[in-house]
Amino acid sequence: MADGGPVEHGFPHLETVRAAVTALYRRLSYDTVQLFATSVAPADVAFCDGDDLHLGAQRVARELVRHYRLPDARMVVAFREMEHAAHVELTAGPEYFIELNDRFRAHRRDIGAALAHEIMHVYLHRLDLSFPGTRDNEILTDTATTYLGAGWLLLDAYREDGASSQKLGYLTPEEFGYVLAKRSLVFGEDPSVWFTSAQAYTAYGRGLERARHDERQPPLTAAGWAGRRRYARDRRRAQDRRAGVAVPDSPYAFAPDPVGPLRVTFPCPTCHQRIRVPVRGRVRARCGLCRTVLECDT
């Protein structure tokens, strides 16, 4: 939790974020991910200053449990002084104890964001899905929270001006925007209409730009002229060598096939699983993980 301190920007964790999206699809399946097509509604997690602190926190926790489809999980929420924004005790359940930083007593509108992250820890714990190391596992949790429809709360909790700053989660604001944009491109949902933070709009816009960039990489037909020209040059080199060629600073790579034409591998722009298709001109590929249909010019 950045509380008054510097806020990191940009996309320093992008590879881990992409790996987290792939892991979600692999562990949950396409059909289960589709169950989260509708984000948690602002009205369901709204917290007014006049609400009772503990009763209101329990109500928001129940709504997030419902959203994550954890019907047999009960959250007990308490507040105490602590360094981090929140902490959840992961046990066998069905009762889980969540502690929130005392600062949320005076910043009640952000309680939903903190609970969304902590209850996602419970969800991933029950799935037995984790990444090694605290940092990567927290990035997985932030990414899952966002991709499954509650992470817009985390981005909306980001506020920064010349005198103060606040950010929840391990992702940068732009990375939260990136995952939200990935979700938006899949489900056709615009999360920006729910933002109350002006800085969240800017971060989402930058994330959306980066997400659209993923859809314009060769060999996809939507790639720009410069990308297509570089791809054609790399393809000629691979065909001349008749051997595998990894292209530096490029998402695609070429690999020989002993019983057929040269093949190119590249990440799916939706789930980032690598796709492998023959080099033979126009090809329509379908990702077996997220079922995205890709128009390619190989």
Side-chain angles (χ1 to χ4, degrees), residues 143-189:
T143 302
T145 303
T146 306
Y147 204 85
L148 298 184
W152 67 267
L153 290 161
L154 286 161
L155 180 54
D156 196 42
Y158 161 57
R159 290 179 284 280
E160 188 173 18
D161 56 37
S164 63
S165 64
Q166 174 186 281
K167 185 188 76 69
L168 302 180
Y170 276 62
L171 300 186
T172 68
E174 292 78 13
E175 287 168 341
F176 274 120
Y178 174 81
V179 182
L180 276 174
K182 285 288 189 180
R183 172 184 169 79
S184 176
L185 293 172
V186 170
F187 297 117
E189 186 182 65

Side-chain angles (χ1 to χ4, degrees), residues 198-252:
Q199 291 79 19
Y201 284 99
T202 302
Y204 176 68
R206 291 173 181 166
L208 179 59
E209 181 181 349
R210 191 61 178 258
R212 291 196 181 281
H213 179 72
D214 292 349
E215 299 182 330
R216 297 193 294 264
Q217 295 297 301
L220 300 174
T221 56
W225 177 83
R228 296 295 312 153
R229 184 171 181 176
R230 181 186 180 187
Y231 176 83
R233 180 198 64 196
D234 295 334
R235 180 180 58 198
R236 285 194 300 271
R237 290 176 178 174
Q239 289 171 329
D240 291 343
R241 296 177 187 176
R242 298 182 181 278
V245 175
V247 185
D249 302 321
S250 175
Y252 56 82

Side-chain angles (χ1 to χ4, degrees), residues 84-105:
H84 300 290
H87 172 74
V88 62
E89 182 180 345
L90 295 176
T91 62
E95 196 166 67
Y96 299 88
F97 294 89
I98 299 176
E99 294 177 312
L100 299 183
N101 193 301
D102 259 344
R103 73 183 305 276
F104 289 113
R105 293 177 182 271

Side-chain angles (χ1 to χ4, degrees), residues 70-89:
L70 293 168
D72 60 340
R74 298 190 300 273
M75 305 297 155
V76 179
V77 184
F79 296 80
R80 72 173 176 88
E81 291 186 8
M82 56 195 303
E83 178 184 356
H84 300 290
H87 172 74
V88 62
E89 182 180 345

Side-chain angles (χ1 to χ4, degrees), residues 23-33 36 123 127 129 148:
L24 271 181
Y25 272 98
R26 285 178 177 163
R27 186 65 182 87
L28 292 179
S29 81
Y30 166 83
D31 291 329
T32 302
V33 171
F36 294 89
Y123 185 82
L127 285 177
L129 175 60
L148 298 184

